[in-house]
Amino acid sequence: MGTEELTGAEITIRCLQEEGIDYIFGYPGGAVLFIYDELFKQNKVKHILVRHEQAALHAADGYARSSNKVGVALVTSGPGVTNSVTGIATAYMDSIPMVIISGQVPTYAIGLDAFQEVDTVGITRPCVKHNFLVKNITELAITIKKAFYISSTGRPGPVLVDIPKDVSQEKTKFYYPSSVSMRSYNPTSKENPGQLKKAIQLILGSKRPMIYTGGGVILSNATKQLTNLVQMLNFPCTNTLMGLGGYPATNKQFVGMLGMHGTYEANMAMQHCDVLIAIGARFDDRVIGNPKHFYNKERKIIHIDIDPSSISKRVKVDVPIVGSVSDVLNELIKLLKASKEKNDRAAIKSWWAQIDQWRKRDCLKYDRRSAIIKPQMVVEKLYKITKGNAFITSDVGQHQMWAAQFYKFDKPRRWINSGGLGTMGFGLPAAMGVQFANPKGAVACITGEASIQMCIQELSTCKQYNLPLKIVNLNNRYMGMVRQWQEFFHGNRYAESYVDALPDFVKLAESYGHVGMKIEQPNDIEDALKEAFKLKNRLVFMDFITDQTENVFPMIPGGKGLSEMILV
């Protein structure tokens, strides 16, 4: 133990300093006022004041995704922590490393229905990697150390530390360990050599191979290894929504995103391959649809993942490999280079010929001569203007899919979106976190008029901290994806999907002190984007009035298989 006596609030801040935390996103309240007082007394950890606790979590999330650091949020008890649950669940579904510090009523009042008391541990248990309630001041520092360790190792995820108000006031001697070990938590760190050899045999014997990768490649910082593997083998590669940027989208071996709104060639190759190498992906319902349809074609499956519980969860695999994606790929590359066997080049060439035939379907075509703005064109122009170098956040819906389809991500951690939970309201606060993590980077939020209003109060936060975000609002006056499903599957009965009484977004942006633009003609798209990005120190809200009837294609209806796509 150390000799310095500190309060729980002082210990909390010192722990953050020891972890090298630069930013913490939060909103004050009674149960955390002692912690806020200690934040005020120092300047190493910078606090970012959001306007809603959900936004604090999304901002910390965006910070973590784009920086490869642990995001940190601070919220008060009761409604403070319940407001944050959506953000916690968003991070949990996408395996994002975050530590959430929440205030709690004093220990003597827990369970007595005290003012602003909720069972934080109980409420958050289903959507955190782990959580703690610290009832003893002597356990506070080690608990925070455990939280950062659990959050950032193995399969990452959010960890919550609930600190009662009296614990933040009490004093104890401060000691922060440099490392921590937990008997009950030992993430796998070494892959099985026997499974690697089996994988090599399948890879070298394949005639119609496919490499399918997800967010695990990006979380493991394995994009270089993946690129080396794909190009060494000359295999086709597809990314999930969460995996975009894991392999360069402009490379000829990339066949596009797969899944419900994936490309025709990616889905057909996925369905008809004979050996599938799944890397850091989880075969979720938006990727393969109904597993029984996926099993219509026989194939051997190699599955690489840090989380053993993800393997054979939805789809039975032949060769499970548990380990860090980057480490496993390094070993695979070594074994392939050392192997005297080689793939059947003629078979691979024939497989590419088939894929090129599927590519000729041009599944992402749209009317480029339309007199009404097509949302796809806005994203294409955004890609052109930014040269593919911007950080792109999105909300959830049609605009999210068009961003994924038409912005070509060649680098990891540039595409920031809510994949697993599908959280409307994520885009703007996530963009704030991205901008703090990348102060010199160009950050654009692609959103829709329904999603942006979920957390639009954060325009105030952007003003306070002079964040020069560029908001691309694809405004079709509908909850677009809801309307699309109602058109396809509910007889054109647009029940409550029309967004009536919309604000004047230009005036709204201006009222917060930002620049607003309204764009209604296709010929004005490029000039508006250029003008916006020239304003390097201003937030610009671009309201693009788009075609209300435009749908996202391809589309796989719920319960259908990868080869049952609806095309334009």
Side-chain angles (χ1 to χ4, degrees):
M1 292 292 292
T3 58
E4 188 179 12
E5 276 212 345
L6 300 177
T7 66
E10 290 173 318
I11 288 171
T12 300
I13 302 307
R14 283 284 291 273
C15 291
L16 297 178
Q17 292 172 346
E18 292 286 339
E19 288 292 335
I21 300 304
D22 295 316
Y23 291 101
I24 182 169
F25 302 87
Y27 200 91
V32 287
L33 284 184
F34 288 101
I35 297 174
Y36 269 90
D37 197 35
E38 294 307 321
L39 269 172
F40 183 82
K41 295 175 184 176
Q42 56 83 61
N43 55 19
K44 287 184 179 179
V45 180
K46 301 174 186 67
H47 180 272
I48 305 303
L49 177 66
V50 297
R51 289 353 185 220
H52 190 284
E53 289 88 354
Q54 180 180 339
L57 273 293
H58 292 331
D61 186 323
Y63 182 88
R65 293 186 201 228
S66 63
S67 68
N68 191 30
K69 297 178 181 178
V70 177
V72 183
L74 173 60
V75 298
T76 195
S77 63
V81 76
T82 56
N83 280 347
S84 72
V85 169
T86 297
I88 296 171
T90 299
Y92 178 71
M93 287 290 281
D94 291 344
S95 304
I96 305 305
M98 287 171 53
V99 170
I100 303 96
I101 297 170
S102 60
Q104 183 55 275
V105 300
T107 52
Y108 56 80
I110 292 175
L112 300 179
D113 297 329
F115 177 66
Q116 292 193 332
E117 179 192 2
V118 296
D119 179 5
T120 298
V121 168
I123 288 171
T124 61
R125 184 176 286 119
C127 59
V128 292
K129 187 175 178 182
H130 196 64
N131 58 18
F132 299 92
L133 171 60
V134 183
K135 290 186 174 181
N136 190 324
I137 180 68
T138 62
E139 297 175 356
L140 180 57
I142 188 67
T143 299
I144 292 175
K145 184 66 180 181
K146 288 178 180 178
F148 278 95
Y149 173 62
I150 294 169
S151 174
S152 59
T153 55
R155 181 178 181 174
V159 177
L160 182 139
V161 181
D162 201 28
I163 305 175
K165 189 172 184 178
D166 57 327
V167 172
S168 69
Q169 294 174 268
E170 293 170 0
K171 283 190 172 185
T172 191
K173 291 180 180 179
F174 174 68
Y175 170 72
Y176 198 64
S178 58
S179 62
V180 66
S181 62
M182 301 172 66
R183 186 175 63 181
S184 59
Y185 177 69
N186 293 290
T188 302
S189 59
K190 189 67 177 175
E191 60 282 347
N192 186 309
Q195 296 299 86
L196 288 171
K197 290 178 182 178
K198 289 179 184 178
I200 292 294
Q201 290 174 349
L202 285 179
I203 290 169
L204 294 176
S206 64
K207 298 184 184 298
R208 300 187 311 279
M210 183 68 167
I211 296 178
Y212 148 58
T213 77
V217 170
I218 293 169
L219 292 169
S220 187
N221 298 310
T223 55
K224 288 183 180 178
Q225 294 94 322
L226 175 64
T227 301
N228 289 341
L229 180 72
V230 172
Q231 295 182 359
M232 181 172 70
L233 292 169
N234 191 31
F235 286 3
C237 180
T238 183
N239 295 155
T240 65
L241 180 70
M242 294 304 303
L244 292 175
Y247 187 81
T250 55
N251 185 272
K252 64 180 181 180
Q253 286 173 247
F254 184 65
V255 294
M257 182 178 72
L258 82 162
M260 179 172 280
H261 295 293
T263 66
Y264 183 74
E265 52 268 29
N267 286 339
M268 292 297 283
M270 186 81 169
Q271 184 70 1
H272 294 281
C273 66
D274 66 344
V275 172
L276 177 63
I277 308 162
I279 307 172
R282 57 190 179 89
F283 292 91
D284 73 271
D285 57 300
R286 289 296 173 107
V287 167
I288 64 163
N290 192 326
K292 76 175 183 180
H293 294 285
F294 191 62
Y295 283 127
N296 285 344
K297 299 287 183 180
E298 287 189 10
R299 64 181 73 73
K300 296 292 184 182
I301 300 176
I302 302 161
H303 192 177
I304 303 165
D305 205 287
I306 190 68
D307 182 5
S309 71
S310 288
I311 295 178
S312 291
K313 187 174 185 178
R314 294 196 77 237
V315 171
K316 191 177 186 304
V317 305
D318 301 280
V319 181
I321 303 175
V322 179
S324 162
V325 167
S326 57
D327 292 342
V328 173
L329 292 186
N330 280 330
E331 289 301 313
L332 280 178
I333 289 168
K334 283 182 189 176
L335 291 170
L336 285 165
K337 286 181 176 178
S339 176
K340 295 179 181 179
E341 285 187 62
K342 301 297 175 187
N343 278 100
D344 184 338
R345 291 187 178 181
I348 301 298
K349 184 178 180 180
S350 176
W351 178 229
W352 271 113
Q354 173 61 78
I355 291 171
D356 288 339
Q357 285 297 313
W358 288 327
R359 274 177 164 161
K360 289 180 180 178
R361 294 294 295 266
D362 191 15
C363 64
L364 298 181
K365 66 184 178 183
Y366 66 91
D367 181 8
R368 297 176 182 276
R369 297 182 179 180
S370 170
I372 307 172
I373 291 177
K374 293 292 184 179
Q376 301 96 318
M377 182 174 286
V378 178
V379 179
E380 283 189 324
K381 295 291 187 183
L382 177 64
Y383 173 75
K384 177 185 174 183
I385 295 300
T386 60
K387 299 181 172 60
N389 290 319
F391 292 86
I392 305 294
T393 73
S394 84
D395 279 291
V396 171
Q398 287 181 317
H399 61 270
Q400 178 189 27
M401 295 300 108
W402 285 316
Q405 290 175 336
F406 289 94
Y407 199 99
K408 299 178 177 64
F409 295 96
D410 280 344
K411 300 174 184 177
R413 301 187 183 277
R414 296 297 178 106
W415 169 232
I416 313 295
N417 80 116
S418 169
L421 196 65
T423 306
M424 294 173 71
F426 176 84
L428 175 55
M432 299 185 325
V434 173
Q435 192 74 80
F436 280 111
N438 305 273
K440 295 183 179 179
V443 182
C445 170
I446 298 177
T447 185
E449 76 294 330
S451 282
I452 191 63
Q453 293 189 87
M454 292 274 185
C455 282
I456 202 162
Q457 74 283 338
E458 297 311 314
L459 288 175
S460 176
T461 306
C462 294
K463 180 61 177 176
Q464 180 175 344
Y465 297 99
N466 298 313
L467 300 179
L469 307 178
K470 308 303 180 239
I471 299 174
V472 178
N473 187 39
L474 302 181
N475 186 347
N476 63 6
R477 289 81 74 206
Y478 272 103
M479 297 175 200
M481 191 60 82
V482 174
R483 185 205 59 76
Q484 179 168 334
W485 279 63
Q486 288 171 334
E487 177 185 333
F488 287 5
F489 311 119
H490 298 277
N492 295 306
R493 293 181 295 277
Y494 301 128
E496 304 302 328
S497 58
Y498 179 72
V499 183
D500 207 350
L502 287 173
D504 182 327
F505 287 109
V506 172
K507 290 181 179 178
L508 183 59
E510 290 173 347
S511 74
Y512 278 104
H514 303 303
V515 177
M517 298 180 182
K518 186 174 184 179
I519 303 96
E520 299 183 84
Q521 300 300 322
N523 291 338
D524 295 332
I525 295 172
E526 190 165 334
D527 288 342
L529 288 166
K530 285 179 178 178
E531 183 181 348
F533 279 92
K534 282 180 182 176
L535 298 171
K536 295 186 181 298
N537 298 317
R538 298 294 301 276
L539 183 149
V540 183
F541 193 116
M542 290 165 277
D543 189 21
F544 291 92
I545 308 304
T546 64
D547 188 343
Q548 288 188 286
T549 65
E550 193 68 13
N551 290 320
V552 181
F553 294 106
M555 179 178 181
I556 301 173
K560 298 294 184 179
L562 284 172
S563 58
E564 300 175 278
M565 287 165 275
I566 301 174
L567 301 174
V568 178

